């Protein structure tokens, strides 16, 4: 029989069997504490599972349970109620939480920093605190604003003069999926599929051969599947396509790029019912539209006669999930040219919408799956090439949103966006800053190393190249107060910022630019 580990979790004295599991396993699968999120376990690189151990921040997915025997563990659920409310209200008021998957861990980390006396204006101290975390949605700047409010003790009142239904509507428009807005979301209570699964549900994970391993616990399923922690290759990402021949005024080549949403694909289903799918509280930038987890949950639940949770590990997401298709293109001074792109259904139509004079050549290349539904895939690259010849101009998204962007000499990014009725400017601004972060990250540092036979070698979340908090420049957002139906604006913002950043870097041919 295995021994048990006694500890205190959120004020409760508990005992958990020690079968070699991690603190995160104990919290989520034994104690039902779902505020600590599993974004990359056991890589220990995203920070989503951060909790406080005797008051100090600790990444739970790489902390063996036995290491916290007799100690006090505090999740965001166990914070003093007034403290938790202050953080939740500040995050909601500043737009520092969108999907809310990364924020419970960030709040625990920031509470640790606040307790150590990191001042609101201590940028370096805040950078050190956030260095252990990744946030794909918000672009970090709203999180800094939220920290300032709590650290300075600024009172925040959320909901008295704000239409949260309108805010949620704006979030859904920008994220292309249902999205809750409010203080509870920052505390991790957005309703993610794996958080709502019954405690007695079986767990299914990929077996690596196209089928599923089903077990009583996640730890057991991963053990049976022979899960091996992902690695980061030392090989730099390389654009896989050659430039088309021609005399071009501008050329651009890109690599495979991971959408890098923080919540790995998850779903659960009870026998004979509809599954709770992976898009419960966020759109994953289009990366989960073809996810297999919901259909697998339905099939496995019916087969086993019990509820089943289906979960992808971070390595599974990288291997199985769609990537931004690489391109290689050139344009002349008149905007005519050729854009080669890894064969992807729908990408030619997306390019034709903005650049009808670009000839699209689809090329079959060994590699991970691609999807034209990822944010602005294909047409962003076309707009960038056109901007190299004509200069920066307003960008119009498929839904009618319009954005302009510029990168100043000091690095500041300036954005103007028109998205119809803003509905809620806090949400719209947050999504604009997040889109700017994603665009800057893509242009400057993102890319996957893929072998000649199409195998992705970068399997850790830190190897994707996502810009850290310390690397994010200031961003200003001017919202056009135009009337009219609300439309998506941040896809156009993403493209406008990407074009501005690329031109500011000298319109060098190969992405990422490295600066």
């Amino acid at each position: 029989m295995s021994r048990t580990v006694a500890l205190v979790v959120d004020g409760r004295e508990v005992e958990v069997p020690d079968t070699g599991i991690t603190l995160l396993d104990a919290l989520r699968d034994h104690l039902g504490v779902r505020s600590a999120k599993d974004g990359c376990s056991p890589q220990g690189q995203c920070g989503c599972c951060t909790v406080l151990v005797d008051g100090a921040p600790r990444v739970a997915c790489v902390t063996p349970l036995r290491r916290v025997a007799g100690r006090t563990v505090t999740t965001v659920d166990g914070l003093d109620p007034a403290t938790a409310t202050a953080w939740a209200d500040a995050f909601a008021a500043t737009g520092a939480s969108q999907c809310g998957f990364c924020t419970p861990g960030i709040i625990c980390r920031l509470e640790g920093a606040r307790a150590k006396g990191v001042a609101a204006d201590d940028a370096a101290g805040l950078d050190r605190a956030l260095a252990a975390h990744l946030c794909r949605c918000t672009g970090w700047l709203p999180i800094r604003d939220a920290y300032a409010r709590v650290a300075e003790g600024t009172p925040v009142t959320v909901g008295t003069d704000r239409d949260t239904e309108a805010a949620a509507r704006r979030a859904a428009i920008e994220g292309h999926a249902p999205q809750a807005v409010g203080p509870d979301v920052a505390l991790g209570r957005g309703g993610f599929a794996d958080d709502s699964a019954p405690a007695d549900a079986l767990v299914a994970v990929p077996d690596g051969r196209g089928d599923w391993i089903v077990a009583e616990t996640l730890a057991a399923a991963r053990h049976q599947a022979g899960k091996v922690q992902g690695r980061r290759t030392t090989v730099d990402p390389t654009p896989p396509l050659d430039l088309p021949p021609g005399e071009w005024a501008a050329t651009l080549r890109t690599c495979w790029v991971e959408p890098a949403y923080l919540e790995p694909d998850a779903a659960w289903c009870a026998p004979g019912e509809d599954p709770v799918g992976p898009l419960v509280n966020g759109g994953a930038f289009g990366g989960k539209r073809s996810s297999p987890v919901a259909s697998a949950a339905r099939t496995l639940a019916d087969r086993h006669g019990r509820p089943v949770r289906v979960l992808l590990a971070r390595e599974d997401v990288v291997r199985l999930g769609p990537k931004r298709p690489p391109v290689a293109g050139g344009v002349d001074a008149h905007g005519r040219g050729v854009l080669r792109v890894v064969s992807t259904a729908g990408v030619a139509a997306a390019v034709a919408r903005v650049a009808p004079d670009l000839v699209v050549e689809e090329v079959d290349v060994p590699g991970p799956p691609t999807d034209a539904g990822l944010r602005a895939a294909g047409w962003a690259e076309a707009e960038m090439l056109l901007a190299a010849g004509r200069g920066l101009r307003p960008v119009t998204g498929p839904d009618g949103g319009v954005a302009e962007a510029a990168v100043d000499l000091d690095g500041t990014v300036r954005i103007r966006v028109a998205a119809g009725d803003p509905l809620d400017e806090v949400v719209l601004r947050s999504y604009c800053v997040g889109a700017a972060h994603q665009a800057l990250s893509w242009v400057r540092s993102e890319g996957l190393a893929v072998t000649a036979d199409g195998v992705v070698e970068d399997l850790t979340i830190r190897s994707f190249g996502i810009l850290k908090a310390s690397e994010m420049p200031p961003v200003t957002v001017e919202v056009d107060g135009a009337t009219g139906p609300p439309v998506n604006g941040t896809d156009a913002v993403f493209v406008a910022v990407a074009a501005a950043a690329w031109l500011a870097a000298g319109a060098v041919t190969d992405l990422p630019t490295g600066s």
Side-chain angles (χ1 to χ4, degrees):
M1 295 180 62
S2 62
R3 69 185 184 93
T4 61
V5 171
L7 66 160
V8 177
V9 175
D10 293 340
R12 295 184 296 146
E13 294 183 359
V14 299
E15 290 190 8
V16 179
D18 182 14
T19 56
I21 61 175
T22 67
L23 175 57
L24 181 60
D25 293 328
L27 290 172
R28 289 190 64 84
D29 290 337
H30 289 266
L31 300 174
V33 179
R34 301 293 174 87
S35 59
K37 310 300 186 189
D38 183 352
C40 69
S41 173
Q43 295 179 7
Q45 294 188 355
C46 72
C48 294
C49 65
T50 300
V51 297
L52 299 173
V53 177
D54 293 339
R58 179 77 66 87
V59 179
C61 77
V62 291
T63 300
L65 176 63
R66 62 177 64 96
R67 291 286 299 274
V68 295
R71 304 179 73 175
T72 297
V73 174
T74 306
T75 73
V76 74
D77 297 329
L79 294 175
D80 173 79
T83 299
T85 296
W87 283 114
D89 286 353
F91 268 60
T94 59
S97 179
Q98 289 181 18
C99 76
F101 191 81
C102 67
T103 49
I106 290 175
I107 287 174
C108 284
R109 179 79 58 176
L110 295 184
E111 175 58 18
R114 189 193 65 80
K116 288 176 62 177
V118 175
D121 60 354
D122 183 358
L126 195 51
D127 283 344
R128 287 192 294 272
L130 292 173
H133 293 265
L134 289 176
C135 177
R136 188 58 156 172
C137 296
T138 67
W140 297 112
L141 304 183
I143 293 174
R144 292 181 179 278
D145 293 341
Y147 184 79
R149 294 201 180 196
V150 176
E152 294 172 348
T154 304
V156 177
T157 301
V158 177
T160 58
D161 58 352
R162 187 179 183 193
D163 185 342
T164 55
E165 291 187 6
R169 185 181 173 199
R170 171 52 69 182
I173 290 170
E174 299 305 331
H176 300 291
Q179 180 81 64
V181 174
D184 277 353
V185 174
L187 300 176
R189 300 166 189 165
F192 297 104
D194 195 43
D195 293 348
S196 63
D200 64 345
L202 294 169
V203 183
V205 301
D207 68 354
R209 299 179 296 277
D211 207 345
W212 304 90
I213 294 289
V214 181
E216 291 289 341
T217 67
L218 176 59
R222 285 180 171 174
H223 177 75
Q224 292 179 37
K227 180 184 182 300
V228 177
Q229 181 171 331
R231 65 185 180 90
R232 176 176 186 171
T233 180
T234 56
V235 177
D236 291 332
T238 303
L241 298 177
D242 294 328
L243 290 169
E247 297 294 327
W248 307 121
T251 53
L252 174 67
R253 298 198 308 166
T254 66
C255 303
W256 310 92
V257 177
E258 167 67 33
Y261 44 85
L262 267 290
E263 181 208 11
D265 303 36
W268 73 271
C269 191
E273 298 184 9
D274 292 330
V276 177
L279 293 176
V280 172
N281 200 46
F285 317 108
K288 293 181 181 177
R289 296 189 315 159
S290 57
S291 177
V293 295
S295 61
R298 184 198 298 270
T299 298
L300 293 171
D302 290 343
R303 180 184 303 170
H304 290 273
R306 287 177 57 183
V308 176
R309 299 160 59 199
V310 177
L311 305 175
L312 299 190
R314 180 55 54 184
E315 295 88 348
D316 300 323
V317 174
V318 181
R319 292 189 181 102
L320 304 175
K323 309 294 177 268
R324 187 180 196 88
V327 307
V331 295
D332 63 19
H334 303 288
R336 295 185 294 265
V338 177
L339 187 70
R340 289 179 171 169
V341 58
V342 170
S343 295
T344 305
V347 73
V351 173
R353 184 184 66 83
V354 300
D357 292 330
L358 278 184
V359 176
V360 176
E361 297 179 353
E362 297 195 49
V363 184
D364 292 329
V365 177
T370 58
D371 193 333
L374 298 179
R375 175 173 262 171
W379 69 271
E381 293 86 339
E383 286 276 15
M384 291 164 68
L385 280 168
L386 294 178
R390 74 190 182 194
L392 294 174
R393 297 197 308 191
V395 172
T396 302
D399 297 337
V402 180
E404 300 174 72
V407 177
D408 294 342
L409 292 177
D410 65 356
T412 298
V413 178
R414 293 183 288 108
I415 297 167
R416 178 181 174 86
V417 61
D421 182 351
L423 295 174
D424 185 281
E425 285 204 12
V426 171
V427 169
L428 182 54
R429 289 175 185 277
S430 174
Y431 273 82
C432 286
V433 176
H437 172 264
Q438 191 172 20
L440 293 171
S441 196
W442 171 45
V443 169
R444 295 175 178 176
S445 55
E446 288 190 51
L448 293 175
V450 178
T451 66
D453 55 357
V455 177
V456 180
E457 294 191 305
D458 280 324
L459 297 177
T460 66
I461 198 166
R462 288 281 174 175
S463 65
F464 303 159
I466 301 170
L467 287 182
K468 297 177 289 189
S470 60
E471 299 167 330
M472 186 62 185
V475 177
T476 66
V477 179
E478 180 183 352
V479 176
D480 189 324
T483 58
V487 295
N488 179 285
T490 50
D491 287 351
V493 168
F494 170 81
V495 177
V497 173
W502 183 53
L503 295 187
V508 295
T509 295
D510 287 353
L511 298 189
T513 63
S515 61

